């Protein structure tokens, strides 16, 4: 669903030009996603379940429940989406230099591979790259604890908006799964001939397309969420998957629960919202994206 341009370099194609095209693709996706969302909204709320809330003077609890849940999830999807799009994923402060204990300091060491420390220098930004930081060719800048560049949100996903991105995935999955399940009985009854439909052809077409797209989105999102759950629980970014495979001991792995807190914060009441407490933002260094706690065995 998302493209990763972190370290990819094609020998015969200028990767920077290729990634610039992906930015344009991202802007083209926005009206497409808005059109799909509009069709699903129309199908679930206006065509199928809205008219059933009050029928023949009776209120349907099921129809009311589905319409209210649909709107609550929609609010969460939009809120998380806006937070991913408009949050800075994390950029390297202009005057940042590696801490002495972490690595080399000074321009004379620019060529030093710094293998032991992981500290690198970015030739394009002319700046130091902290641990887990990567240069995004689409945004053309270094991103702290970069996970990937996502064309769907037209932004990079990094240290400061990864939680928002994950919540966006989860709420979008719940919304699309609800839509698919809510529209499915409508079709079964129509195709099995149990009920004679009075829908217009346009209504039927939109409802059918919306249900198929909802089911397809829900299934693909579920796979994507499963992958990210395993990444969160092992404190790994999408870019680091291969690096982790080749290392016997993953130094950022602090245990499942602590790894989870490194992304979602320590305040349980905020786990389900695209927010952090001021305390977490101050105390969890991984959210600032410049330094990361390392497991005791790896020191
Ligand atoms: Zn850079
Ligand atoms: Zn980017």
């Amino acid at each position: 669903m998302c493209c990763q341009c972190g370290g990819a370099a094609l020998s015969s194609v200028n990767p920077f030009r290729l990634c610039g095209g992906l930015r344009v693709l991202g802007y083209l996706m926005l009206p497409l996603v808005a059109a799909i969302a509009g069709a699903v909204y129309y199908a679930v709320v206006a065509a199928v379940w809205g008219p059933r809330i009050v029928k023949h003077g009776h209120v349907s609890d099921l129809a009311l429940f589905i319409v209210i849940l649909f709107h609550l999830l929609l609010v969460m999807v939009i809120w998380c989406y806006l937070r991913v799009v408009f949050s800075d994923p994390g950029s390297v402060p202009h005057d940042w230099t590696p801490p002495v204990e972490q690595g080399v300091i000074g321009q004379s060491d620019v060529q030093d591979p710094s293998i032991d420390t992981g500290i690198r220098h970015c030739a394009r930004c002319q700046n130091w790259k902290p641990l887990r930081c990567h240069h995004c060719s689409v945004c053309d800048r270094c991103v702290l604890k970069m996970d990937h560049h996502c064309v769907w949100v037209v932004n990079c996903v990094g240290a400061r908006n990864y939680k928002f991105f994950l919540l966006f995935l989860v709420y979008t999955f719940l919304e699309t799964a609800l839509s698919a399940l809510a529209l499915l009985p409508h079709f079964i009854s129509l195709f099995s001939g149990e009920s004679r439909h009075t829908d217009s052809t346009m209504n039927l077409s939109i409802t059918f397309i919306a249900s198929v797209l909802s089911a397809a989105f829900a299934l693909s999102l579920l796979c994507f969420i499963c992958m990210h759950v395993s990444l969160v629980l092992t404190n790994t970014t999408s870019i680091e998957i291969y690096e982790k495979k080749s290392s016997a001991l993953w130094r950022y792995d602090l245990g499942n629960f602590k790894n989870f807190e490194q992304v979602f914060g320590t305040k349980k009441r905020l786990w389900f919202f695209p927010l952090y407490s001021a305390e977490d933002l101050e105390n969890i260094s991984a959210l600032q994206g410049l330094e990361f706690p390392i497991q005791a065995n790896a020191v």
Side-chain angles (χ1 to χ4, degrees):
M1 135 174 221
C2 291
C3 105
Q4 294 173 8
C5 301
L10 303 173
S11 56
S12 58
V13 181
N14 180 344
F16 297 110
R17 185 164 292 180
L18 190 74
C19 291
L22 288 175
R23 191 179 337 190
V24 176
L25 177 66
Y27 288 115
L28 292 176
M29 298 278 241
L30 293 179
L32 177 71
V33 171
I36 294 172
V40 173
Y41 186 90
Y42 178 84
V44 175
V45 177
V48 177
W49 287 100
R52 295 185 191 180
I53 293 177
V54 181
K55 215 168 190 181
H56 309 304
H58 292 287
V59 175
S60 162
D61 291 339
L62 179 63
L64 191 61
F65 172 75
I66 288 174
V67 171
I68 289 175
L69 184 60
F70 185 92
H71 282 95
L72 285 177
L73 288 171
L74 186 62
V75 168
M76 293 310 296
V77 169
I78 293 171
W79 186 10
C80 295
Y81 181 78
L82 293 175
R83 290 287 279 159
V84 189
V85 173
F86 294 109
S87 293
D88 179 5
S91 45
V92 185
H94 189 64
D95 54 353
W96 187 84
T97 49
V100 176
E101 70 273 14
Q102 267 192 19
V104 291
I105 294 178
Q107 287 298 312
S108 60
D109 291 314
V110 166
Q111 298 304 319
D112 188 330
S114 310
I115 288 167
D116 293 331
T117 63
I119 303 289
R120 302 278 194 281
H121 191 269
C122 179
R124 285 190 68 82
C125 299
Q126 288 295 302
N127 210 349
W128 290 105
K129 286 162 73 173
L131 291 167
R132 313 181 84 179
C133 173
H134 292 272
H135 185 89
C136 173
S137 305
V138 184
C139 302
D140 198 20
R141 69 181 178 109
C142 279
V143 174
L144 298 176
K145 200 190 171 195
M146 180 177 169
D147 191 87
H148 64 284
H149 182 93
C150 181
V151 291
W152 294 84
V153 299
V154 205
N155 195 7
C156 249
V157 177
R160 294 172 193 174
N161 64 352
Y162 186 46
K163 176 189 177 184
F164 312 153
F165 173 75
L166 294 177
L167 287 175
F168 170 62
L169 290 186
V170 171
Y171 286 120
T172 307
F173 163 72
L174 292 174
E175 183 76 304
T176 49
L178 172 73
S179 304
L181 289 174
L183 295 173
L184 190 66
H186 183 65
F187 279 104
I188 290 175
S189 64
L190 283 181
F191 289 124
S192 64
E194 283 175 20
S195 66
R196 286 198 307 133
H197 68 82
T198 53
D199 291 356
S200 66
T201 309
M202 191 190 79
N203 256 11
L204 271 178
S205 307
I206 292 177
T207 312
F208 181 70
I209 292 168
S211 61
V212 171
L213 287 176
S214 294
F217 266 92
L219 279 175
S220 50
L221 280 167
L222 187 59
C223 298
F224 207 57
I225 288 168
C226 288
M227 185 192 91
H228 275 285
V229 166
S230 98
L231 291 178
V232 168
L233 294 181
T234 53
N235 206 336
T236 314
T237 65
S238 300
I239 290 175
E240 293 166 340
I241 289 175
Y242 295 105
E243 190 188 335
K244 179 174 176 289
K245 272 185 186 165
S246 60
S247 62
L249 184 73
W250 187 240
R251 56 183 171 168
Y252 302 117
D253 189 352
L254 309 171
N256 288 353
F257 188 66
K258 281 221 173 312
N259 291 340
F260 177 84
E261 284 186 335
Q262 294 278 298
V263 176
F264 281 80
T266 59
K267 303 283 182 276
K268 289 188 178 71
R269 68 178 189 281
L270 296 180
W271 282 351
F272 304 99
F273 301 100
L275 299 167
Y276 286 112
S277 67
E279 201 182 327
D280 278 349
L281 284 174
E282 195 178 333
N283 296 336
I284 300 178
S285 60
L287 297 178
Q288 294 153 19
L290 294 171
E291 290 173 37
F292 303 89
I294 289 172
Q295 62 162 294
N297 297 341
V299 176

